[in-house]
Amino acid sequence: MDLMKALTSQYMKAEIPEVHVGDTVRVHVKIKEGSRERVQVFEGTVIAKKHGGLEETFTVRRISYGVGCEKVFLLHSPSIVKVETVRKGKVRRAKLYYLRDRMGKAAKVKERV
């Protein structure tokens, strides 16, 4: 088990961003197109966090042009430049999959003060 920790610890980020379920976040991702690299921003609500350690992921959902779009990001991925928290959400669930069925104001998450 110590061998696994030693192997995975070198790939983990030193500063992990504070990401909680219900938060609205702005994820800056490096996109490689041919020989060029650019940073693309994906903003939405965190609806799930899974696993732990090196394989830790979080799912971000947003509505663009009336269509729901979800992306799963690896927390320790080198392609993630930074994660900004836009607003903190107050939720009572670990997974917010019920937001998939809701539209408009019903899909809002209350703000934590």
Side-chain angles (χ1 to χ4, degrees), residues 1 4-5 16 33-34 40 44 49 55 58-59 61 64-65 70 76 82 87 99-100:
M1 202 55 143
M4 283 296 290
K5 276 189 179 177
I16 302 171
E33 296 172 329
Q40 189 178 44
K49 279 180 74 175
E55 303 90 26
F58 61 101
T59 306
R61 177 180 175 82
S64 59
Y65 301 105
E70 290 183 11
H76 295 283
K82 68 177 177 178
R87 59 190 286 259
L99 292 179
R100 292 173 175 164

Side-chain angles (χ1 to χ4, degrees), residues 46-102:
V46 178
I47 63 167
K49 279 180 74 175
K50 287 187 177 182
H51 312 300
L54 188 63
E55 303 90 26
E56 190 169 350
T57 62
F58 61 101
T59 306
V60 181
R61 177 180 175 82
R62 79 164 181 204
I63 308 291
S64 59
Y65 301 105
V67 179
C69 178
E70 290 183 11
K71 277 191 178 181
V72 180
F73 296 102
L74 278 162
L75 193 64
H76 295 283
S77 173
S79 63
I80 292 181
V81 179
K82 68 177 177 178
V83 180
E84 296 177 67
T85 304
V86 178
R87 59 190 286 259
K88 298 195 177 282
K90 181 185 177 193
V91 292
R92 297 174 68 176
R93 298 279 177 274
K95 307 280 189 279
L96 304 181
Y97 295 142
Y98 65 88
L99 292 179
R100 292 173 175 164
D101 302 328
R102 300 188 180 185

